[in-house]
Amino acid sequence: MTDPKQRITEAEAIEQAKQGDEAAFELLYQLHKRRVYSLCLRMVSNPAQAEDLAQEAFLQLFRKIGTFRGESAFSTWLHRMTVNVVLMQLRRKGLPVVSLEETLESEDETPRKEFGTRDVRLTGSIDRLQLQRAIDKLPPGYRTVFVLHDVEGFEHNEIAELVGCSIGNSKSQLHKARLKLRDYLKFMRAEKAKTG
Amino acid sequence: MTCSEVERVLPEFLDRAPDDSFPDAVHQAEFETHVKSCLACADLVADLKLISSAARQMVESEEPAPRVWVRIAAELRAEGIIRDPVPTPARPALVPTAPRRRWSAVWLAPVAAALLAAGAYVVSHKPVAQVVTQQVSPVQVSPVQVAPLQEATPGGAASPVTGANVVTPAPETAHAQRSEARTNSVRPNPTKPANPEVAAAHAVAPSPSVEDQQFLSVVSTLAPSVRATYESQLQAVNADIRETQAYVNRNPRDADARQHLMDAYQEKALLYQIAMDRIQ
Ligand SMILES: [Zn+2]
């Protein structure tokens, strides 16, 4: 919050949390809640579900905090755990984590249409809500890779490992996701221009 | 290089590290020459870069509702992962190692802790005990109404603590304007004297939540005058929570109002805590 009592460091909080100290757990939560919740929300596009997922991610982390030895950054550990919780949920619901379309058309080399200069242009900036709405429209597989790479900053090899696909698959899905987002955003802009 | 060739190598171009170059320099030169001279490809490259950089800004853009921590803390406590700093043999009934489901004052500990946690970082965890003992009789909370805190115990997703969703709109008319004004003002310190508007809010309190009923049944063992004080304080803080919640629902981006709501939850936690200490 505005003036968090961060007199103790994250490392100290981790040690205190191992002793069952509530304030330490809360500090760790406060430090990472936005990142974790935002990730969940981007991936599932549903606030109630995102809350449940964020809760589950933190619980899994806190239950295992005794095993944390600091060999990797705490945040890295937490974010990977969050991704796993979300992916698990998607799989449980039968949603494709890797786009089926992608695996079917991976050899498909159909040239895209030339982009006419009459197209609406995105130059300038992209409104966050518009981008969120566009991400929501992505097929789950594309969305996963796009969120993990472009929003969360995971590398393709990490995504491949987390999601269970090839690195090439991750790369091409990312590219297709971006192209789709561009189309959605242009479409939204055109609609907005029409309606004033 | 043609437009479609540009598009084919584009992913590689976009995602290379700043100091990386294409596997072969000829390719890169051709790519750059084309993009410089082709408006469509230049647009495409610019748009895709823009999308990626806009995406990067979303990484911490959302704030979870306070109830998320409330639920986490309640679960950690119920699982014994959050432990009381010093075991207190004087109050065995309150140590949450007793069978969880059986009704006793046991529920108070996790609920109070969770409520307190909902108040974010306003009060750190150690001073609470002192604050509580100092405030036993004069605690006064501001007027207003309840967001029922349901099942602050385990069960995770299956038992949501719905601060926002379950709220019934506060009885309106005269209260509405006042609440909007209040949420923008600095919240009174809990140790300040009673607000004269408390009584007005009480007249319209809704039926109590399960936790509140349990709370009321605990305090019913106390002397009538003390009991009455607890009852009115609970009503007052519930009223505050509900009215603020209604306001936050209408104005979700009002950070002051959200802070106020967390403060109200914190006050409620204090109230539970006080009751807990009282019945030892
Ligand atoms: Zn071109």
Side-chain angles (χ1 to χ4, degrees):
Chain A
M1 295 279 111
T2 45
D3 176 29
K5 296 189 170 52
Q6 288 178 21
R7 290 199 187 85
I8 61 169
T9 64
E10 183 178 84
E12 289 165 339
I14 292 166
E15 288 313 306
Q16 290 177 21
K18 287 177 182 175
Q19 309 306 312
D21 183 280
E22 175 165 3
F25 280 113
E26 184 173 2
L27 176 64
L28 294 172
Y29 173 78
Q30 296 294 344
L31 287 175
H32 298 283
K33 64 180 178 178
R34 291 182 72 93
R35 176 88 189 263
V36 166
Y37 176 67
S38 299
L39 169 58
C40 296
L41 189 59
R42 301 278 100 87
M43 299 272 274
V44 299
S45 307
N46 173 318
Q49 257 182 45
E51 284 181 9
D52 289 347
L53 291 169
Q55 176 186 342
E56 187 55 31
F58 275 108
L59 282 174
Q60 287 199 14
L61 181 97
F62 289 157
R63 285 177 188 130
K64 291 178 193 157
I65 197 148
T67 68
F68 184 75
R69 297 279 174 267
E71 58 285 347
S72 66
F74 182 77
S75 59
T76 308
W77 195 43
L78 173 59
H79 300 148
R80 292 177 73 89
M81 198 165 281
T82 307
V83 172
N84 279 325
V85 166
V86 174
L87 293 177
M88 188 80 76
Q89 167 87 346
L90 293 177
R91 290 189 181 106
R92 209 179 293 137
K93 292 186 154 194
L95 290 168
V97 166
V98 183
S99 172
L100 284 178
E101 188 191 342
E102 171 59 30
T103 50
L104 292 176
E105 65 170 315
S106 52
E107 295 308 311
D108 182 358
E109 291 295 326
T110 30
R112 287 177 57 84
K113 64 180 187 300
E114 301 289 297
F115 285 98
T117 46
R118 282 161 294 135
D119 279 355
V120 184
R121 295 171 66 182
L122 296 182
T123 48
S125 66
I126 296 175
D127 174 65
R128 201 178 77 211
L129 284 177
Q130 266 190 354
L131 181 56
Q132 179 58 50
R133 236 172 285 142
I135 293 174
D136 291 348
K137 288 171 70 164
L138 284 175
Y142 290 162
R143 190 196 302 165
T144 303
V145 175
F146 178 80
V147 169
L148 292 182
H149 190 281
D150 277 11
V151 181
E152 296 297 322
F154 284 99
E155 301 291 339
H156 284 296
N157 62 330
E158 297 174 297
I159 295 172
E161 188 201 329
L162 283 163
V163 166
C165 67
S166 69
I167 291 175
N169 208 235
S170 173
K171 283 183 178 173
S172 71
Q173 286 197 56
L174 173 66
H175 188 55
K176 288 182 180 179
R178 288 171 176 163
L179 291 174
K180 274 186 195 290
L181 287 174
R182 183 187 191 227
D183 288 345
Y184 295 152
L185 288 165
K186 281 185 164 194
F187 181 75
M188 286 177 193
R189 290 234 172 146
E191 288 292 293
K192 204 176 172 187
K194 253 190 267 170
T195 58
Chain B
M1 208 179 248
T2 66
C3 291
S4 30
E5 280 169 338
V6 163
E7 210 196 303
R8 199 163 43 78
V9 297
L10 189 52
E12 225 180 316
F13 171 79
L14 288 170
D15 293 325
R16 75 205 158 123
D19 51 346
D20 265 10
S21 55
F22 269 125
D24 73 277
V26 180
H27 234 62
Q28 179 162 5
E30 284 180 15
F31 178 90
E32 282 166 0
T33 309
H34 179 97
V35 170
K36 267 181 201 148
S37 61
C38 174
L39 192 55
C41 285
D43 268 359
L44 177 63
V45 171
D47 284 355
L48 296 189
K49 281 183 175 172
L50 185 61
I51 288 170
S52 288
S53 66
R56 202 74 189 108
Q57 308 303 312
M58 302 175 96
V59 72
E60 289 192 358
S61 58
E62 308 289 335
E63 169 85 20
R67 62 177 166 270
V68 177
W69 171 248
V70 170
R71 300 192 308 212
I72 291 169
E75 180 67 26
L76 291 176
R77 199 162 262 277
E79 292 179 19
I81 296 168
I82 285 178
R83 295 185 292 274
D84 289 329
V86 185
T88 46
R91 34 173 111 165
L94 289 171
V95 178
T97 46
R100 267 197 257 149
R101 288 289 168 189
R102 211 179 52 201
W103 155 238
S104 71
V106 168
W107 69 275
L108 275 172
V111 170
L115 280 167
L116 189 57
Y121 249 64
V122 187
V123 170
S124 73
H125 130 117
K126 282 176 184 150
V128 165
Q130 295 170 343
V131 173
V132 165
T133 48
Q134 284 158 8
Q135 287 182 348
V136 167
S137 49
V139 164
Q140 293 300 344
V141 286
S142 316
V144 222
Q145 241 73 232
V146 172
L149 182 82
Q150 301 181 330
E151 271 293 300
T153 39
S159 61
V161 174
T162 42
N165 301 337
V166 182
V167 168
T168 39
E172 295 301 342
T173 64
H175 296 304
Q177 284 187 326
R178 198 192 75 232
S179 72
E180 301 216 1
R182 289 181 65 250
T183 48
N184 291 323
S185 65
V186 177
R187 183 173 183 76
N189 184 300
T191 53
K192 279 186 182 170
N195 188 321
E197 289 164 326
V198 167
H202 292 177
V204 286
S207 54
S209 70
V210 175
E211 285 77 15
D212 286 356
Q213 282 171 14
Q214 291 173 337
F215 172 86
L216 291 170
S217 112
V218 167
V219 299
S220 70
T221 60
L222 301 169
S225 64
V226 179
R227 171 189 173 177
T229 309
Y230 277 117
E231 286 171 354
S232 71
Q233 285 174 357
L234 180 67
Q235 281 186 326
V237 75
N238 279 343
D240 194 10
I241 289 171
R242 193 170 63 180
E243 202 173 301
T244 309
Q245 182 70 64
Y247 178 87
V248 168
N249 289 350
R250 292 193 301 273
N251 304 279
R253 294 186 174 277
D254 187 331
D256 287 342
R258 293 205 310 222
Q259 181 62 50
H260 181 103
L261 183 60
M262 282 194 272
D263 292 350
Y265 272 110
Q266 191 196 340
E267 285 190 350
K268 186 166 176 175
L270 276 175
L271 190 60
Y272 278 99
Q273 190 94 46
I274 293 162
M276 222 155 56
D277 289 354
R278 202 67 193 263
I279 59 173
Q280 296 315 301

